[in-house]
Amino acid sequence: MVKIGVLGLQGAVREHIWAIEASGAEGIVIKRPAQLAEVDGLIIPGGESTTIRRLIDKYGFMEELKKFAVDGKPMFGTCAGLILLANDLVGYDAPHLGVMDVKVERNSFGRQRESFEADISIAGVADNFSAVFIRAPHIVEAGENVEVLAKHNDRIVAARDGQFLGCSFHPELTDDYRLMNYFVKMVEETKSKNFA
Amino acid sequence: MKTGTDRVKRGMAEMQKGGVIMDVVNAEQAKIAEEAGAVAVMALERVPSDIRAAGGVARMADPRITEEVMGAVTIPVMAKARIGHIVEARVLEAMGVDYIDESEVLTPADEEYHLNKRDYTVPFVCGCRDLGEAARRIGEGASMLRTKGEPGTGNIVEAVRHIRKVNAQVRKVVAMDMDELMTEAKLLGAPYELLLEIKQLGRLPVVNFAAGGVATPADAALMMQLGADGVFVGSGIFKSDNPAKFAKAIVEATTHYQDYELIANISKGLGIPMKGMEISSLAPEARMQDRGW
């Protein structure tokens, strides 16, 4: 069984743990950088990206997270997590982790009253996925090696760049675990390749 | 595509978990809060301790203040409407605030009826002192709760009482025999269906923060330890000696609420916290927690 960490600084942490466990992997809440060594893949959850970033800096997570990426381990960012993974942010001089080749715009669908649910199709995952968008970002541009997995109203809302998976919405707020199953499979494949 | 669904409204509060929501009265304070790592700010005309001091009727803030705060930060902005004040709530919704607090800190507009919060696209947070009050607010459509405490006192004792009470009553419902549930609903004045849902989930169906009296990092950590999903800090930050430092320390203590060495370190040399008040010194009409039912 693979072990998947959820960065537990702030946000919807326990919902991801439940989804990981329902998808046949072991979920671990990561509160300290040293814990990253224990896990085969990492989820950066939804929450407030500015808050999570501040706590990443405060507790010396930045270098360790970048190293986790360089080691080739899969990472999955949902909403705030996608913002943290992106290598370019609209209106900002510098990205956060900057490991995934996508340009992301924050709060791009509007404020909370514009937040919505919609049925979307995610390539290779589901053609009727109920997605919850909360003050959501979207991917403005995807690099050439990035596979676009889902769009909503012509905006990219889910994509994969090799070991990195990102989405604008919150799969952890529903009990549809198909996208989590997809990520668990990514983690299993990477782990078995490293042992082959 | 649907806006204003339960999932969207409750989900927004889920994203705030483990965080600190800070009261601010202008753009400058809002920026300090965001920089310190607040997950949201509450835009107000006066913090609760100043509302106490000023006396008179406390109303929704001047929309110019709310607008200024919304323009200053990218984190969500909440604002307070008076209990039962349909128009203040609609005005805040029209302005695009991200969450409305139907709050006992302001003078109630209606002593009998709270807002029918299901009618709105914008989500609401409401105060509670026990599970009955919590369930009634959820029944009316609140998407997030906060235990009331006693706002603007810098005294944590009421906040402790309320979070302990709500969580003890949740545990009781969860463990209760099904035969006893309707009687419990009657005794609490709570909708039966909600108690049933709590029993099945093993927890409240919405996020529950703690509020009303948090003045130090240790107070914030205490609330988390007692089972709050996050913390509201009203007067505690901008009535302290060094707001930026206090704000950061409270955020850190909330994240690492069981790391006592860390809390010791961040609490060193913070300066003077807000001056606290003994609850028994409050006149009955000055108790904000008794507003609403």
Side-chain angles (χ1 to χ4, degrees), chain A residues 20-123:
Chain A
I20 291 166
E21 287 175 351
S23 302
E26 185 183 341
I28 297 172
V29 178
I30 306 287
K31 286 213 161 201
R32 296 282 171 197
Q35 291 175 276
L36 287 170
E38 297 168 29
V39 296
D40 308 304
L42 182 74
I43 292 172
I44 305 183
E48 282 306 318
S49 61
T50 50
T51 306
I52 297 175
R53 169 61 197 268
R54 221 197 77 75
L55 293 167
I56 282 176
D57 290 344
K58 186 81 203 175
Y59 298 110
F61 264 107
M62 191 49 99
E63 288 314 307
E64 295 301 317
L65 288 168
K66 284 183 176 165
K67 189 170 162 289
F68 194 88
V70 169
D71 289 346
K73 291 183 180 173
M75 297 171 88
F76 178 17
T78 63
C79 194
L82 168 66
I83 293 167
L84 289 155
L85 290 179
N87 67 4
D88 195 358
L89 294 175
V90 175
Y92 290 79
D93 297 333
H96 299 293
L97 291 174
V99 293
M100 182 173 178
D101 191 12
V102 290
K103 182 176 186 174
V104 169
E105 182 175 358
R106 291 183 64 201
N107 297 339
S108 65
F109 293 91
R111 303 192 71 99
Q112 173 61 20
R113 66 176 172 190
E114 281 88 38
S115 296
F116 61 97
E117 280 184 55
D119 286 333
I120 60 170
S121 159
I122 309 174

Side-chain angles (χ1 to χ4, degrees), chain B residues 58-99:
Chain B
R59 312 178 178 89
M60 172 182 83
D62 181 335
R64 198 187 296 170
I65 293 175
T66 313
E67 216 171 68
E68 182 189 314
V69 169
M70 286 167 70
V73 294
T74 61
I75 53 177
V77 175
M78 303 185 169
K80 287 183 194 293
R82 281 180 269 178
I83 291 172
H85 203 307
I86 299 165
V87 174
E88 283 188 353
R90 286 294 183 196
V91 166
L92 293 173
E93 181 178 53
M95 289 176 65
V97 306
D98 296 299
Y99 237 90

